[in-house]
Amino acid sequence: MAPSRHADEGGQLQLMEPDRVEDEEECFESIDKLISQGINAGDVKKLQDAGIYTCNGLMMHTKKSLTGIKGLSEAKVDKICEAAEKLLSQGFMTGSDLLLKRKSVVRITTGSQALDELLGGGIETLCITEAFGEFRSGKTQLAHTLCVSTQLPIHMHGGNGKVAYIDTEGTFRPERIVPIAERFGMDANAVLDNIIYARAYTYEHQYNLLLGLAAKMAEEPFRLLIVDSVIALFRVDFSGRGELAERQQKLAQMLSRLTKIAEEFNVAVYITNQVIADPGGGMFITDPKKPAGGHVLAHAATIRLMLRKGKGEQRVCKIFDAPNLPEGEAISFALMIFMFTALCSLP
């Protein structure tokens, strides 16, 4: 495995040795460990070919889906699952144990002190953070900033890891990364090398890209996955009410995959979402818009942020839904604050 980069005290990215990365970052059991439990190496290879690279990921699949893998019978699947259960603890735990486990959560700075305070420290790993709003409300700008801040070391409120970016609307611009990296005091070329990018053109392509990520995340220290935007291709590839049920089913499958990636590899998942007009909002509603995706997306996202335009270049972020954050707004950041005042917000 190639060595990864991390930032030193001055913010410059440095090389981190692979052994050290594994000691600090590995939070899962490799699928290769099934061999020590008596599972045939050929069957392990079949699991890897199907996009399953960890025992944690294996236990997130149903036996029905596993028997759909060519060459794996029901008897083999039962034996594989039994072996994986011996390596993992998948049962109940006490609240104290869960609290201890939650200490592995990493909060990645957004580059804005006001927004970080609103989020309790930044974007969290192990969950999906959704940002929705109309065009030019700052969703993609925040995504670009997170591409850089994720690579900061932990003591600088970063994630000390790489970034995967799935672009469904063609809005990612590597040249925008350069000034953001420079203002964090980082080497722009090294930052760009730690971002893997893919342009998705159909919802199927988008889902397949997620399946392929498991191999990369099992070998390298990733800390952030961005999907910008999560709903765009579904709105294009499915049209009319006649296809709505199928669209929501496929969307649910993709969101389930995102949730599993977040928990399997301890990464933060940041997705952007579009808004639709809400005819039922009523005449007294100031901004009659609601996030696209319906209840399926609402239930999948752990933290939902609503971004909207304020006065001039000012942007307002509101906690729309979160299990552990109080309602509130951050109104002191502007569209370009992520780029121009990132360093000022860091201690």
Side-chain angles (χ1 to χ4, degrees):
M1 182 177 70
S4 64
R5 297 177 176 88
H6 75 100
D8 64 8
E9 296 292 338
Q12 292 292 332
L13 289 181
Q14 303 293 329
L15 291 177
M16 180 182 287
E17 293 303 317
D19 292 340
R20 186 176 161 195
V21 170
E22 289 171 5
D23 291 342
E24 293 187 3
E25 305 292 344
E26 188 166 319
C27 58
F28 51 81
E29 297 289 345
S30 171
I31 201 75
D32 292 331
K33 292 185 178 180
L34 289 177
I35 298 176
S36 65
Q37 298 293 320
I39 302 302
N40 185 279
D43 291 337
V44 171
K45 180 65 166 57
K46 291 170 186 174
L47 292 171
Q48 293 174 328
D49 291 341
I52 302 172
Y53 286 83
T54 71
C55 294
N56 310 64
L58 173 69
M59 299 308 294
M60 293 177 183
H61 286 74
T62 63
K63 289 186 177 181
K64 180 181 178 181
S65 66
L66 292 174
T67 52
I69 299 173
K70 186 176 181 181
L72 294 184
S73 63
E74 288 188 20
K76 283 186 176 182
V77 167
D78 288 339
K79 186 178 179 181
I80 289 171
C81 290
E82 184 179 340
E85 288 173 358
K86 291 180 181 178
L87 294 171
L88 302 173
S89 176
Q90 294 288 321
F92 288 98
M93 66 175 67
T94 66
S96 297
D97 290 337
L98 182 58
L99 182 62
L100 188 63
K101 184 178 179 181
R102 286 282 298 169
K103 292 186 182 296
S104 66
V105 171
V106 177
R107 289 175 174 81
I108 302 168
T109 179
T110 63
S112 165
Q113 186 172 4
L115 191 50
D116 283 350
E117 290 175 357
L118 184 70
L119 294 172
I123 302 295
E124 288 187 12
T125 59
L126 291 175
C127 73
I128 297 177
T129 300
E130 171 203 357
F132 67 88
E134 59 184 333
F135 66 95
R136 206 172 177 270
S137 58
K139 306 184 299 294
T140 299
Q141 180 61 50
L142 177 54
H144 281 72
T145 304
L146 288 171
C147 283
V148 179
S149 64
T150 298
Q151 299 182 44
L152 289 169
I154 301 296
H155 74 269
M156 291 180 68
H157 305 290
N160 198 32
K162 297 189 176 186
V163 179
Y165 198 117
I166 297 178
D167 186 1
T168 67
E169 298 182 278
T171 53
F172 179 76
R173 294 293 182 270
E175 56 268 28
R176 292 173 73 182
I177 297 295
V178 175
I180 300 174
E182 290 174 349
R183 284 169 176 82
F184 273 105
M186 302 168 76
D187 181 347
N189 290 327
V191 168
L192 286 168
D193 285 343
N194 281 332
I195 301 171
I196 62 170
Y197 168 86
R199 175 76 162 94
Y201 293 96
T202 68
Y203 81 93
E204 292 170 329
H205 185 199
Q206 183 176 342
Y207 185 78
N208 289 335
L209 287 170
L210 292 177
L211 293 178
L213 266 180
K216 297 181 181 298
M217 289 188 172
E219 294 193 0
E220 299 181 79
F222 280 83
R223 193 60 87 194
L224 176 68
L225 166 60
I226 295 173
V227 183
D228 182 22
S229 95
V230 72
I231 196 69
L233 297 177
F234 288 88
R235 298 181 76 177
V236 171
D237 296 340
F238 296 91
S239 58
R241 290 187 175 274
E243 296 185 343
L244 181 60
E246 183 183 2
R247 187 195 84 166
Q248 293 301 88
Q249 182 185 43
K250 298 296 184 183
L251 178 61
Q253 291 174 352
M254 194 202 64
L255 291 168
S256 174
R257 182 61 189 158
L258 287 173
T259 301
K260 290 172 181 176
I261 288 175
E263 296 187 12
E264 184 178 353
F265 299 105
N266 191 21
V267 301
V269 176
Y270 173 77
I271 61 176
T272 67
N273 191 13
Q274 301 170 351
V275 293
I276 57 177
D278 184 9
M283 62 182 294
F284 300 107
I285 302 298
T286 307
D287 190 17
K289 299 182 182 70
K290 62 180 181 180
H295 295 297
V296 167
L297 206 156
H299 288 300
T302 313
I303 299 171
R304 310 190 82 189
L305 306 177
M306 180 174 68
L307 301 181
R308 70 175 189 271
K309 300 172 186 175
K311 295 179 181 179
E313 290 298 308
Q314 191 179 69
R315 295 297 180 267
V316 180
C317 177
K318 178 181 179 180
I319 298 291
F320 191 77
D321 181 42
N324 61 331
L325 298 173
E327 289 188 8
E329 290 187 349
I331 59 175
S332 60
F333 72 95
L335 185 61
M336 299 303 289
I337 196 168
F338 304 112
M339 185 177 293
F340 288 106
T341 63
L343 279 178
C344 299
S345 69
L346 294 174

